[in-house]
Amino acid sequence: MGKSNKTESESGLIIKMVNEIVRAALTYHASDVHLEPENERLRIRFRIDGILREVANHPVSFLEPLVSRIKVLADLDIAERRKPQDGRISFELDKKELDLRVSIFPTLYGENVSLRLLDKTQIMLGLEHLGFSEEEYALYKKMIATPYGIIFVTGPNGSGKTTTLYSTLHTLNTIEKNIVTLEDPVEYQLPLIRQTQIDPDNGLTFASGLRSLLRQDPDIIMLGEIRDRDTADIAVRAALTGHLVLTTLHTNNAVGAISRLVDIGVEPVLISSATIGIIAQRLVRVVCPHCAEKIIPTPALIKEFSLENFKEINLVKSRGCQKCGAAGYLGRTAIFEILNLDNELKSLIISRAPYQTIFEQAQIKGMKSLREKGIMKAAAGITTLEEVLRVTSI
């Protein structure tokens, strides 16, 4: 009897711990939770505004029951501890519905757990709240209003591409449009939109799925990612036959997407004909308004970042306070590099002009690089120069 009560008490403690971990992650606006076993300790870290921060430290004996509880919630195999497992949890906490994407991976000291928090209220931002300037917002709205063609959103993992794409679909979503998606995985369920998750084990790849989706009479197609020539060719041809295609590529900047497509074998004439525009993006942390301090730039700093070109310079630094958890930053915003293809740029693509030639011509036509856009946000007091340097390259 006593043993049963003890077991129930321990079980209740673990259930409470999992709930508290998720509740704390929501409080800190974390995007990911990491449970990391070491020799004698279980480290818990949250990814907050793109940066990992340690939030708790427990004896490693807590690991196994915590992992078992998470496996039960995600409907995974509790007995399997030597192979990676992936799952999903629909979590209701404090009357709030939340989806958790679960990844469990065996390590030297036990199973490592990664939880991605998928909060629908965060993904459904209006386009106007993503970080576009007025000029960029008007240009992007014009691009997505084009009835057919392809728009590429580029950047590394964690740069906000999914948020931009979902916010775009949310803007375009009307009863008159048939919108279909092919994703890996489907992170958020959207009303009225037909969403499909790829399943390579059963023959449903991006390429094969896209071929089939074209027979579903779509107006707009969102393709999670272009990974190979076959998928790229089908996506480009879909854009040329009356569909608006939104997709992503892993490239460092907007012009780099053209080079990437050529490298995987897409004909430059098809890239030129189908592409409406290319957007590269990064996320920068926003300075905490409660502890921001204005700084006077030195002449050397002004010269290094070409700040003499700004009418007004409002550089700030972040001290760190209780409201931002001593981080100095509170939330994130995006910076965008938008390549809008006109006839001259399209001619350069067709002639297989080198990257630098296309980049320089795009800048002549007004395209600002990610570094330049970041400096503009720093000069406006939204972020810091250190943060811009962290996420952008020259």
Side-chain angles (χ1 to χ4, degrees):
M1 186 77 170
K3 186 176 181 181
S4 175
N5 286 339
K6 184 180 178 183
T7 302
E8 287 177 13
S9 175
E10 289 174 349
S11 176
L13 172 64
I14 295 303
I15 291 171
K16 185 178 179 182
M17 275 189 74
V18 171
N19 288 349
E20 286 304 316
I21 289 169
V22 175
R23 184 177 283 112
L26 285 172
T27 301
Y28 283 107
H29 303 289
S31 61
D32 300 84
V33 173
H34 293 265
L35 276 62
E36 303 166 333
E38 297 181 351
N39 188 21
E40 296 180 352
R41 308 298 296 173
L42 169 63
R43 187 190 311 277
I44 299 178
R45 293 196 291 172
F46 291 172
R47 187 172 295 280
I48 302 168
D49 293 335
I51 304 293
L52 279 171
R53 295 169 62 186
E54 183 173 335
V55 295
N57 215 299
H58 297 290
V60 76
S61 57
F62 279 96
L63 175 68
E64 192 174 317
L66 283 172
V67 173
S68 294
R69 171 62 180 166
I70 290 167
K71 284 180 177 178
V72 167
L73 291 170
D75 198 23
L76 300 177
D77 186 351
I78 296 178
E80 181 54 73
R81 297 176 185 171
R82 294 174 297 176
K83 294 180 181 178
Q85 294 191 69
D86 296 307
R88 197 177 184 115
I89 300 172
S90 292
F91 212 89
E92 186 171 338
L93 191 65
D94 302 333
K95 297 182 180 179
K96 183 171 186 175
E97 289 185 8
L98 186 74
D99 281 344
L100 304 179
R101 204 168 75 208
V102 180
S103 173
I104 298 177
F105 199 87
T107 71
L108 184 62
Y109 297 114
E111 291 176 292
N112 203 88
V113 179
S114 176
L115 305 175
R116 166 65 58 87
L117 279 70
L118 305 173
D119 186 349
K120 291 181 183 179
T121 61
Q122 294 298 312
I123 202 72
M124 283 309 157
L125 292 171
L127 286 175
E128 68 275 15
H129 300 302
L130 296 184
F132 287 114
S133 66
E134 285 186 25
E135 185 181 350
E136 289 171 335
Y137 181 62
L139 176 57
Y140 187 60
K141 288 275 283 187
K142 184 178 177 182
M143 287 166 62
I144 65 175
T146 308
Y148 60 88
I150 189 165
I151 296 172
F152 296 96
V153 181
T154 78
N157 287 332
S159 59
K161 300 189 299 295
T162 299
T163 300
T164 297
L165 286 177
Y166 275 121
S167 296
T168 303
L169 291 182
H170 187 61
T171 299
L172 296 171
N173 194 11
T174 66
I175 198 70
E176 293 86 12
K177 299 286 186 184
N178 181 21
I179 302 177
V180 296
T181 77
L182 199 58
E183 306 172 57
D184 181 27
V186 173
E187 293 196 3
Y188 301 89
Q189 284 110 50
L190 305 175
L192 199 61
I193 294 175
R194 306 298 95 202
Q195 295 173 267
T196 301
Q197 182 163 315
I198 68 164
D199 185 4
D201 292 339
N202 290 306
L204 182 55
T205 63
F206 277 123
S208 66
L210 187 51
R211 284 192 190 93
S212 297
L213 277 183
L214 289 172
R215 295 191 284 271
Q216 289 285 312
D217 184 34
D219 296 296
I220 299 167
I221 301 167
M222 194 271 269
L223 188 62
E225 184 185 344
I226 286 183
R227 298 175 180 172
D228 52 51
R229 178 179 178 175
D230 199 12
T231 309
D233 273 335
I234 301 165
V236 166
R237 292 180 191 281
L240 290 171
T241 53
H243 307 89
L244 177 62
V245 180
L246 308 170
T247 190
T248 73
L249 273 174
H250 285 285
T251 63
N252 288 329
N253 55 29
V255 176
I258 297 167
S259 305
R260 171 70 179 141
L261 290 167
V262 172
D263 287 345
I264 63 177
V266 183
E267 287 298 321
V269 67
L270 292 178
I271 300 170
S272 170
S273 302
T275 305
I276 299 167
I278 305 168
I279 298 173
Q281 66 178 79
R282 297 290 188 278
L283 294 176
V284 292
R285 291 180 292 170
V286 174
V287 175
C288 173
H290 307 288
C291 60
E293 295 178 343
K294 191 167 182 177
I295 59 172
I296 306 299
T298 63
L301 197 66
I302 290 173
K303 184 178 179 182
E304 182 182 356
F305 292 98
S306 302
L307 296 175
E308 65 273 6
N309 298 325
F310 292 91
K311 291 180 181 177
E312 194 174 342
I313 304 173
N314 291 305
L315 293 181
V316 293
K317 66 178 179 180
S318 48
R319 243 180 328 115
C321 65
Q322 187 175 359
K323 292 192 176 180
C324 61
Y329 298 93
L330 203 58
R332 288 187 291 176
T333 188
I335 52 175
F336 299 95
E337 176 181 290
I338 303 180
L339 178 62
N340 186 32
L341 292 187
D342 63 8
N343 289 334
E344 192 170 349
L345 288 169
K346 289 186 176 190
S347 295
L348 288 175
I349 294 170
I350 292 171
S351 65
R352 295 179 182 266
Y355 165 92
Q356 195 61 32
T357 302
I358 298 174
F359 183 81
E360 289 173 359
Q361 187 59 40
Q363 288 218 300
I364 289 170
K365 291 179 175 293
M367 185 189 80
K368 301 288 186 185
S369 70
L370 285 165
R371 171 66 60 86
E372 289 172 314
K373 296 314 286 282
I375 292 170
M376 290 169 70
K377 274 198 162 65
I382 296 169
T383 188
T384 64
L385 289 172
E386 290 82 4
E387 183 68 1
V388 174
L389 293 175
R390 184 181 70 84
V391 302
T392 66
S393 58
I394 297 172

